[in-house]
Amino acid sequence: MIFLKTAEEIELLRESNLLVGKTLGELAKHIRPGISTLELDKIAEEFIRDHGAVPGFLGYDGFPNTLCISVNEEVVHGIPAADRFLKEGDVVSIDCGTLKNGFYGDSAYTFEVGEVKEEVRKLLKTTKEALYKGIEKAIAGLRIGDIGYAVQSYCEANGYSVVRELVGHGVGHDMHEEPQVPNYGKRGQGPKLAEGMVIAIEPMINLGKRHVYQDADGWTIRTRDRMPSAHFEHTVAVGKHGADILSSFEFVEQALKN
């Protein structure tokens, strides 16, 4: 069932999602060669709790940490570890969730660690642009397929592949609500978008082929060809004339400039 949110509920969702954006901004200050992914996880947990919320991912379906941290060919759901250190040239996707006032926030950003290869930088740029192409279609009266088509067509036109096994989703009192929001699709197909729907749009795009597999840890998803992957995510409220982006990359971008 798809739950439409009231204006008041959307403001509570905005609060949770802005905290995710602020958390990602705080993490941006610490991402560098030599830092462990577990250290980043601890920074995020402390920051979230200090701002009156709890980590949305910690314990969710048994997930053991605050952040999903996925490096290079890891697509999503990477588990932070004390012995996993970022190195020069890595790209690292950080997916973060919060729970505050009964509503979840959910957003992700893929960071460059030092200097990365130009082909990888272009992958990140295209994936982030594709996110906004999808958001442009989050308008009441259009359909889920319009969002997926916008993401897919843009990425494939640039030579990249779209992961099919993992999709975006509704966000509300639960982290994952209906509807599913694939990053591929056909225009005019799928559930109709309505004002008050809140969805996470999250392109997961590969430099190589689209095929992925799950590690023995039961969580980490990797590309089969071990080529890099990128992941950007915003939570948005569907509106009559356009989407209202509830999460934010502003805090990340501000931190990266400094």
Side-chain angles (χ1 to χ4, degrees), residues 124-154:
L124 269 58
K125 180 176 182 289
T126 301
T127 304
K128 187 178 179 183
E129 290 169 349
L131 168 61
Y132 289 100
K133 296 287 185 184
I135 290 171
E136 287 174 5
K137 300 300 180 182
I139 302 172
L142 295 183
R143 293 185 177 271
I144 290 292
D146 294 306
I147 296 174
Y149 178 83
V151 172
Q152 179 185 9
S153 60
Y154 188 74

Side-chain angles (χ1 to χ4, degrees), residues 10-192:
I10 288 172
E11 290 311 308
L12 292 173
L13 279 155
R14 190 189 311 279
E15 190 174 342
S16 298
N17 279 281
L18 280 177
L19 178 54
V20 176
K22 291 175 181 178
T23 305
L24 291 171
E26 180 65 23
L27 292 167
K29 302 173 187 176
H30 298 274
I31 291 173
R32 63 183 185 276
I35 194 168
S36 75
T37 55
L38 186 61
E39 187 173 347
L40 292 172
D41 190 77
K42 290 177 178 177
I43 290 167
E45 180 175 1
E46 182 177 359
F47 188 87
I48 290 167
R49 293 189 188 279
D50 284 350
H51 286 77
V54 296
F57 295 169
L58 184 61
Y60 188 86
D61 284 344
F63 189 75
N65 291 87
T66 291
L67 302 174
C68 296
I69 304 183
S70 308
V71 183
N72 296 332
E73 79 276 5
E74 297 169 358
V75 182
V76 286
H77 302 164
I79 299 174
D83 59 354
R84 183 71 186 275
F85 300 97
L86 298 182
K87 63 183 186 298
E88 183 82 14
D90 283 344
V91 289
V92 54
S93 165
I94 299 185
D95 195 352
C96 179
T98 60
L99 177 60
K100 188 174 185 181
N101 298 320
F103 287 95
Y104 281 92
D106 191 10
S107 182
Y109 196 95
T110 302
F111 297 87
E112 300 174 16
V113 183
E115 291 294 321
V116 306
K117 293 179 180 177
E118 183 61 26
E119 64 174 0
V120 179
R121 183 175 289 115
K122 288 181 178 177
L123 168 68
L124 269 58
K125 180 176 182 289
T126 301
T127 304
K128 187 178 179 183
E129 290 169 349
L131 168 61
Y132 289 100
K133 296 287 185 184
I135 290 171
E136 287 174 5
K137 300 300 180 182
I139 302 172
L142 295 183
R143 293 185 177 271
I144 290 292
D146 294 306
I147 296 174
Y149 178 83
V151 172
Q152 179 185 9
S153 60
Y154 188 74
C155 291
E156 291 181 349
N158 280 278
Y160 305 116
S161 62
V162 178
V163 174
R164 304 295 182 97
E165 291 82 358
L166 301 142
V167 299
H169 50 89
V171 181
H173 286 302
D174 290 321
M175 175 68 75
H176 296 106
E177 297 184 351
E178 292 296 324
Q180 293 191 348
V181 186
N183 296 301
Y184 59 92
K186 295 183 178 180
R187 288 177 289 192
Q189 295 193 359
K192 183 177 283 190

Side-chain angles (χ1 to χ4, degrees), residues 25 28 109 128 132 249-258:
Y109 196 95
K128 187 178 179 183
Y132 289 100
F249 292 157
E250 174 189 351
F251 305 101
V252 168
E253 289 159 358
Q254 188 173 12
L256 293 177
K257 286 178 183 176
N258 295 335

Side-chain angles (χ1 to χ4, degrees), residues 223-244:
T223 58
R224 282 197 175 276
D225 59 12
R226 297 300 181 98
M227 297 284 278
S229 186
H231 176 213
F232 289 85
E233 176 184 19
H234 270 316
T235 296
V236 308
V238 175
K240 283 183 180 178
H241 306 293
D244 180 3

